[in-house]
Amino acid sequence: MFNIFRLRSEVAFFVREYFRSQGFLEVETPVLTKNTPEGAREYLVPSRVHEHSFYALPQSPQMYKQLLMASGFDRYFQIARCFRDEDLRADRQPEFTQIDVEMSFVNEEIVMNIIEGLLAQLFKKALNLEIPKKFERLTYDDAFANYGSDKPDLRYGLKIQNLSSLFENTELKFLKTVLEQQGKIGALHVSNHDFSRSELDGWVGKAMNLGAKGLLWIRFNDQGTAESPVSKFLPQDFLKQVQQIIPSCKAGDTLFVIAGDYQTAWTLLGRVRTALAQELNLINEKEFKFCWVTDFPLFEYDKDSKTWNSVHHPFTSPQAGWEGKPLGEIKARAYDVVLNGYELGGGSIRIHDINFQKKMFGILGLDETKMQEKFGALLTALEMGCPPHGGLALGLDRIIMLLTDSKSIRDVIAFPKTQKGNDAMMKAPGTVEEKDLSLYGLRYLLKKVA
């Protein structure tokens, strides 16, 4: 454990050295700030002095660093503490540390070059490992189509194949219904592994544990004949038809098929892809495969609230030619850096024009009053004039987790929270006496009865 924290200290020191060498200025931004709609729930801190008012702990220093750009700080960085009140998992904690970066007069290429330089030198220093100085680049659409994820693990193949055209005339009712509803049929092609019948049936259960309603397997025997629970519905030359889409498919190979609406089916195939790679030992655990994922959608539609939301945040600039397009087709000037299936960080080129920014807020349902209430300081800065700017934030905890081959970011954070968000050492969160709450104008409600 000591070695992990020594490495963490050395990495933080190197990060500061690197950004200083690139002309960046380290600036600490406030931790007690204003709540803003950035996506996740925030931790709120009641103010004793200002009745019925609350601070929020920052999800990120996003608005502060944009204000710095408007103020003439053209290259900023910070190793920042951030807070998000969201459900926990192995690579998330309620409080975490990010390497926060912002630059004026830049485009995507300049930001990517700076980050590639940082990571290449960091991995050389920490692991004596040479990594490519230019990372592979994938569009969001290509990453999702091939891997069912916007943070693909490129250490192995198993690309998703679209087999929809092979079932256009199928008599299989459930597949026919999917296609009639404009859904798709995708498959993972596994070669060089002889699955037993019980293994194949076992993968149906595993897929369902990953969220699928079912999984269809099709195995080609030594003669190339399709064996499957639905084999009677498959044509005699099905292997030959599959080879039109997957030329490498041959006798002895297996297909794992999921059908449904594109977003859902491909997401599930992405999960099954990861599980197959782990079980079949397809992953080189000593390999580090970086990539950039670009051209994200700018907006996503929430079916429950029937509203459009920002995929990243409302300050992200759309790509040129966005006006007049349906909201779901607008692409963002956004980019994520990914390593071995983990998002190390993400960023974007920001909106620097006040009218442009107000138009984005309007699309998201904010009127002028709400704009000023939530983002007044930023809008004032934009009105006074702000240079083009962009940036990125990297998760320091995730970087250390991957550098040390740890299983969770909890293993690389001093005094981490438990899976339920508790501080096991300090027994936090804890109760506060009623008399202390009254200082903040607060009182307890009755506990909900289960």
Side-chain angles (χ1 to χ4, degrees), residues 90-387:
D91 63 336
R92 277 194 180 161
Q93 282 275 293
E95 52 182 312
F96 56 96
T97 306
Q98 69 184 32
I99 303 166
D100 204 52
V101 183
E102 198 78 7
M103 294 168 268
S104 292
F105 302 106
V106 294
N107 56 24
E108 294 90 332
E109 198 66 36
I110 294 172
V111 177
M112 290 179 182
N113 287 342
I114 289 287
I115 299 304
E116 286 168 343
L118 168 71
L119 292 171
Q121 292 186 37
L122 177 56
F123 273 70
K124 176 65 176 175
K125 186 173 183 67
L127 300 179
N128 194 28
L129 181 69
E130 298 281 355
I131 64 172
K133 291 183 177 161
K134 300 296 291 182
F135 301 163
E136 183 176 348
R137 301 191 184 184
L138 301 169
T139 67
Y140 168 86
D141 289 341
D142 286 343
F144 192 75
N146 287 315
Y147 305 104
S149 172
D150 60 1
K151 43 183 181 295
D153 191 339
L154 302 183
R155 291 174 295 174
Y156 55 94
L158 277 185
K159 289 185 178 181
I160 300 172
Q161 307 292 333
N162 187 349
L163 301 187
S164 302
S165 62
L166 299 186
F167 294 93
E168 288 177 349
N169 299 312
T170 186
E171 294 180 15
L172 280 163
K173 187 175 181 181
F174 74 98
L175 294 182
K176 191 173 184 178
T177 300
V178 165
L179 295 177
E180 287 173 349
Q181 295 175 350
Q182 306 304 309
K184 293 186 181 295
I185 301 168
L188 296 166
H189 166 225
V190 178
S191 59
N192 303 317
H193 186 88
D194 185 18
F195 291 97
S196 68
R197 176 62 189 258
S198 62
E199 284 179 311
L200 292 168
D201 290 338
W203 275 104
V204 176
K206 290 173 185 177
M208 294 178 73
N209 288 336
L210 293 169
K213 293 181 179 178
L215 176 77
L216 174 64
W217 56 264
I218 302 171
R219 177 177 57 190
F220 297 102
N221 64 22
D222 292 342
Q223 288 73 46
T225 302
E227 299 176 343
S228 171
V230 298
S231 56
K232 67 179 181 179
F233 295 98
L234 301 175
Q236 291 295 316
D237 64 344
F238 188 64
L239 175 57
K240 188 174 291 185
Q241 292 186 28
V242 170
Q243 288 170 338
Q244 298 300 309
I245 297 172
I246 314 173
S248 62
C249 191
K250 61 187 185 302
D253 291 357
T254 303
L255 301 175
F256 292 98
V257 180
I258 291 179
D261 74 86
Y262 176 63
Q263 198 73 26
T264 302
W266 258 244
T267 297
L268 293 167
L269 284 163
R271 294 174 188 168
V272 175
R273 173 181 178 266
T274 299
L276 278 167
Q278 291 169 344
E279 184 137 334
L280 301 181
N281 296 316
L282 302 180
I283 304 172
N284 180 355
E285 300 290 351
K286 301 299 182 183
E287 188 176 13
F288 292 92
K289 290 283 284 188
F290 290 86
C291 72
W292 288 102
V293 178
T294 65
D295 302 330
F296 283 84
L298 186 66
F299 300 110
E300 60 186 353
Y301 187 69
D302 187 324
K303 294 179 181 178
D304 295 330
S305 64
K306 295 182 172 54
T307 57
W308 288 93
N309 299 316
S310 299
V311 171
H312 284 78
H313 54 60
F315 320 114
T316 299
S317 180
Q319 294 182 5
W322 68 276
E323 293 185 280
K325 287 185 176 180
L327 295 183
E329 295 179 12
I330 299 173
K331 298 296 185 183
R333 296 183 67 183
Y335 36 81
D336 284 0
V337 60
V338 175
L339 172 60
N340 294 358
Y342 289 93
E343 177 196 330
L344 287 188
S348 65
I349 302 301
R350 325 299 186 188
I351 297 170
H352 65 279
D353 176 86
I354 185 171
N355 294 321
F356 200 168
Q357 184 64 79
K358 284 185 173 183
K359 191 173 289 187
M360 286 296 111
F361 287 154
I363 291 172
L364 296 172
L366 298 180
D367 58 23
E368 185 69 30
T369 301
K370 282 292 184 184
M371 291 181 201
Q372 293 297 332
E373 179 185 331
K374 296 291 186 182
F375 307 109
L378 178 63
L379 291 173
T380 298
L382 295 180
E383 188 173 26
M384 295 176 68
C386 183

Side-chain angles (χ1 to χ4, degrees), residues 25-45:
L25 186 67
E26 183 173 10
V27 181
E28 293 178 329
T29 54
V31 171
L32 291 176
T33 184
K34 184 181 180 67
N35 69 308
T36 57
E38 285 194 41
R41 289 185 299 271
E42 295 170 314
Y43 286 100
L44 300 177
V45 181

Side-chain angles (χ1 to χ4, degrees), residues 8 84 86 89-93 96-99 119 122-123 151 288 336-339 341-346 393-406 408-410 412-413:
R8 185 180 177 116
R84 290 180 186 170
E86 57 188 0
R89 62 189 193 207
D91 63 336
R92 277 194 180 161
Q93 282 275 293
F96 56 96
T97 306
Q98 69 184 32
I99 303 166
L119 292 171
L122 177 56
F123 273 70
K151 43 183 181 295
F288 292 92
D336 284 0
V337 60
V338 175
L339 172 60
Y342 289 93
E343 177 196 330
L344 287 188
L394 295 168
L396 178 61
D397 307 308
R398 289 187 190 176
I399 291 173
I400 303 301
M401 180 185 80
L402 292 166
L403 283 172
T404 58
D405 195 26
S406 299
S408 165
I409 63 170
R410 288 194 293 272
V412 302
I413 295 175

